[in-house]
Amino acid sequence: MNNDLNQDSDLVRKRVRDQMRDPVRDRDLVVGLDAGGTRTRAVLASAVDGRVLGQGVAGPGNALTVPVPLLTDHLAEAVARAVPEADRARVVAVAGGFAGAAETSPDEPGRLNALAALTAALRRLGIAADSVGVSSDIEAAFASAPGAPADGLALVAGTGVVAMRIRDRRCAVTVGGDGWLLGDDGGGFWIGRSAVRAALRMADGRGGPTTLADAVGRALGVPIGALPYAEDRPYAEDLPYGGPAGPAGLGGLDGEGGLGGVGGRDGVGSPSGAGGRDGGGSPSDAGGPNGVGSRDGVESPRSGGDGPNPAVGPVSADASASASVSASGASRPARERLPAEPEWSPDRRAAYRMHLLPAVMAEPPIHLARLAPLVAEAARHEDAVARAILDEAADHLLEPVRALAPREGERIVATGGLLGPEGPLTALLSERLKAFGLTLDWVADGCRGAVALARLGHGGPPPTSRTT
């Protein structure tokens, strides 16, 4: 009898403890990973409602360029920081969006590397998830849009450019992403190269005056005395708008110092991490299967921080950030403060070219992407040449979208700093998309989408609420 009473008392006490326990800790947990070329981010979330409970950051996670043993270490480190040891037994699903990974075929190298590394990392941490999924970083970014959409269009515009049609949360069609040598028109590299070309054309007389000559020359180390507006006065006093555009990467397109990171998650410009399929680019940007690019370069114009960033969208021409509007000229009076033709002697022009050309050639071509913020800055101050460059870039971004034959009202999920809330091409492209009845939904990265995919992998309903 006494034993029965003791057992009943124990059951009552257990029920009371269970009722008092933090309900979040009793739920199933999921982990979402965004593995790019410069860092790997892990997010721990509730499988029930997607609420973020923890996060961790570690080193690069490009599935093609990071050796599998090192990739395993980085994944294990990020997940360990996100998931307390006491909670690891409750992780039921893990999903990762990897630069350099895709699911175009069962034996796709990047996908196999990512899956092998992720499986080993989870085993090391004692996480026996029922569902472990791998996708590309672009697929994860697409799923980061509100409601975790299954179908639609994705547009990446960072160091490079690529557009995709997503069906059932997998890439069905890819347009662009051919790398800086063969494509990626309108991306950060293309804009930076256009700035140098404009500077050289001004120097040899083929082009009109532009403050880009000063800004580009300064960024590439041209002596002050050879700059077109330098004369004998301090540099800042000579610019028509009162000061330099700033060092390359100012304002950045990737939130980590600008496109000059050269962008992107991999530091050489690619969410695929220096990536792409050949290690030189990225299926997502300046890269593509053979390029050297980045979407992220361009991860986002966010100011940094390791926490997940919520999607921001839709972004329209009317609601886009002031930086974009200024770049398009929409928020300024209808006048242009063109710089006057400087007294730039033939000797100084020759000296300018003599210093500029070797400086450009001394670095990998993709590094020109770091000059893209200078064009945005000059356009904000109504430099006609800079504004023309951005207008042409927006025209180029429209081309891959049109090639995907978008349907009116179809969702376009955009990522990359050129199209972020303060991206220089946001308003310009949004205006062009109006003719197709399309708007942009911008997302910062793939963490939120990876969490959504993990929840779906666990058999949950399509997420409808924010996870960050």
Side-chain angles (χ1 to χ4, degrees), residues 8-9 87 97 100 133 151 164 168 170 188 236 270 281 311 368 395 408 424:
D8 289 343
S9 298
D87 294 332
D151 304 290
M164 291 185 177
D168 195 23
R170 295 295 182 187
S270 154
L368 291 178
D395 288 338
E408 184 173 358

Side-chain angles (χ1 to χ4, degrees), residues 28 50 62 116 141 159 189 206-207 217 223 232 307 324 328 344 389 392 406 417:
D28 290 336
N62 185 288
T159 300
F189 165 78
R206 290 176 296 159
D232 296 324
S324 299
S328 68
W344 205 8
I389 290 173
E392 187 177 353

Side-chain angles (χ1 to χ4, degrees), residues 3-422:
N3 287 338
D4 291 340
L5 289 175
N6 290 337
Q7 290 176 357
D8 289 343
S9 298
D10 289 340
L11 289 174
V12 171
R13 284 193 292 269
K14 182 177 185 301
R15 290 193 187 100
V16 171
R17 285 197 305 270
D18 290 344
Q19 291 171 0
M20 295 178 62
R21 188 179 302 163
D22 180 0
V24 172
R25 295 180 62 83
D26 287 331
R27 297 174 181 172
D28 290 336
L29 304 176
V30 298
V31 174
L33 289 150
D34 181 40
T38 58
R39 65 178 177 177
T40 297
R41 296 176 60 207
V43 171
L44 175 68
S46 164
V48 175
D49 58 14
R51 188 170 76 160
V52 171
L53 305 173
Q55 54 189 301
V57 179
N62 185 288
L64 281 177
T65 62
V66 179
V68 171
L70 183 58
L71 179 59
T72 301
D73 291 343
H74 291 169
L75 293 172
E77 181 181 356
V79 174
R81 291 177 173 175
V83 187
E85 188 171 356
D87 294 332
R88 293 173 189 172
R90 292 204 305 279
V91 175
V92 295
V94 179
F98 287 79
E103 198 170 2
T104 53
S105 66
D107 58 351
E108 198 278 323
R111 181 179 180 277
L112 294 178
N113 291 347
L115 187 58
L118 182 55
T119 301
L122 296 177
R123 186 185 306 117
R124 181 185 302 177
L125 298 175
I127 295 177
D130 298 328
S131 170
V132 177
V134 167
S135 64
S136 75
D137 53 344
I138 301 178
E139 290 163 340
F142 182 81
S144 292
D151 304 290
L153 305 179
L155 177 63
V156 177
T159 300
V161 176
V162 65
M164 291 185 177
R165 177 169 290 285
I166 305 291
R167 293 197 186 102
D168 195 23
R169 299 189 172 86
R170 295 295 182 187
C171 173
V173 182
T174 300
V175 176
D178 299 322
W180 63 268
L181 182 62
L182 300 175
D184 290 336
D185 294 343
F189 165 78
W190 182 94
I191 293 173
R193 183 183 60 185
S194 297
V196 176
R197 284 179 167 175
L200 291 172
R201 289 175 65 85
M202 178 180 173
D204 66 15
R206 290 176 296 159
T210 172
T211 57
L212 288 174
D214 264 44
V216 168
R218 186 173 176 82
L220 294 177
V222 174
I224 296 296
L227 297 175
Y229 298 100
E231 299 292 345
D232 296 324
R233 293 169 291 170
Y235 175 76
E237 295 178 3
D238 289 289
L239 289 177
Y241 47 87
L250 175 65
L253 295 180
D254 56 2
E256 295 184 350
L259 254 167
V262 182
R265 305 192 168 179
D266 51 333
V268 283
S270 154
S272 303
R277 309 205 169 193
D278 62 0
S282 151
S284 51
D285 276 307
N290 308 302
V292 181
S294 161
R295 103 163 157 250
D296 182 75
V298 194
E299 291 176 11
S300 85
R302 66 182 185 274
S303 60
D306 293 329
N309 289 307
V312 179
V315 179
S316 68
D318 297 329
S320 59
S322 60
S324 299
V325 177
S326 297
S328 68
S331 68
R332 295 180 179 272
R335 61 184 178 82
E336 294 182 352
R337 297 177 0 187
L338 292 173
E341 186 71 47
E343 304 225 354
W344 205 8
S345 70
D347 287 345
R348 286 174 55 207
R349 290 173 184 261
Y352 181 90
R353 291 176 57 84
M354 180 182 70
H355 286 92
L356 188 69
L357 287 170
V360 171
M361 303 302 177
E363 298 183 5
I366 195 64
H367 285 203
L368 291 178
R370 78 179 191 267
L371 303 177
L374 303 182
V375 181
E377 178 70 10
R380 280 195 289 270
H381 291 89
E382 295 154 9
D383 183 291
V385 173
R387 292 174 65 180
I389 290 173
L390 295 185
D391 274 326
E392 187 177 353
D395 288 338
H396 285 308
L397 292 191
L398 184 62
E399 292 174 0
V401 175
R402 293 181 62 182
L404 291 171
R407 298 180 292 274
E408 184 173 358
E410 191 169 22
R411 162 174 257 158
I412 300 180
V413 177
T415 190
L418 292 176
L419 295 177
E422 297 185 6

